Amino acid sequence: MKKEKYYPPQHALGQFHCPHCGVYAKQFWAHIEAKRIWANSFVGSSVSDFTENLEKDWNISKCEHCDKKMIWFEGNILYPKKIIVDSPNDDLSDEIKKDYLEAAIVFDDSPRSSAAILRLSLQKLCKQLGEKGENINNDIGEMVKKGLNPLVQKSLDSLRITGNNAAHPGEINIEEEPDKVLKLFELINFIAEKMLTEPKEIGGFYENLPENSKKAVKKRDEI
């Protein structure tokens, strides 16, 4: 089944995937006005309050599907803390999923930190794929010897090299090219899809074939 394309939240866009409910839905927009509230001060019983129209850079959007709201300032989401990438592949280990989501949460504040966390996720993913998980470059080399899909190899090395540049000074300036970090999330899911999900689904389908048919296949391959 083809996965639905993910449309991340964007300022003043009419529709996107809501960070609250995850549904691709229409969004309503408005400017924010500060309204007075009554508050007791620490000295005596005097109150301090104000009412004013905030600058146009302060906006609020509301999801048509769940009715929950997002607070924006200068085109960026202040609330809720946004995750602008797709969810991690279900077949990734829980530990890798946790790292993936942590990298997604810190991306806005520090693309460099996000890339470094994803590099750590890659190391754990190599281990989940049956390698030692001690040296990513060596692990990829071992998988290549075993007949690794070239597209997966390129994805693994892209993650490795970009992650290395985040952890150490290199030729890629992560802070100036944050889109490269966003691509790393896609690569993690692509690798998991090809190396974990597809083999599991095909293996499960094959196991459900009639026993006589599987025995015939086995006999054919033993010739």
Side-chain angles (χ1 to χ4, degrees), residues 49-86:
D49 61 80
F50 70 96
T51 298
E52 68 178 54
N53 292 317
L54 299 183
E55 299 172 2
K56 291 183 178 180
D57 289 333
W58 287 92
N59 304 129
I60 186 168
S61 60
K62 185 177 76 168
C63 173
E64 183 180 45
H65 182 262
C66 68
D67 280 337
K68 291 187 177 179
K69 301 171 183 65
M70 288 148 271
I71 306 298
W72 302 71
F73 178 64
E74 294 184 343
N76 297 307
I77 294 180
L78 298 183
Y79 170 82
K81 190 69 175 179
K82 67 175 177 177
I83 293 179
I84 63 172
V85 298
D86 208 350

Side-chain angles (χ1 to χ4, degrees), residues 1 13 27 43 50 59 62 71 77 81 83 87-88 113 116 133 135-136 138 160 162 173 186 198-199 206 219:
M1 181 182 295
L13 198 64
Q27 306 294 323
V43 180
F50 70 96
N59 304 129
K62 185 177 76 168
I71 306 298
I77 294 180
K81 190 69 175 179
I83 293 179
S87 300
S113 298
N135 183 297
I136 298 173
N138 291 345
R160 175 181 64 84
T162 307
N173 189 327
E186 295 181 28
E198 288 185 0
Y206 183 83
K219 184 177 181 180

Side-chain angles (χ1 to χ4, degrees), residues 182-198:
L182 288 178
K183 191 66 181 177
L184 300 185
F185 291 95
E186 295 181 28
L187 294 180
I188 285 275
N189 278 338
F190 173 77
I191 295 164
E193 180 71 21
K194 293 298 180 184
M195 298 294 287
L196 298 171
T197 305
E198 288 185 0

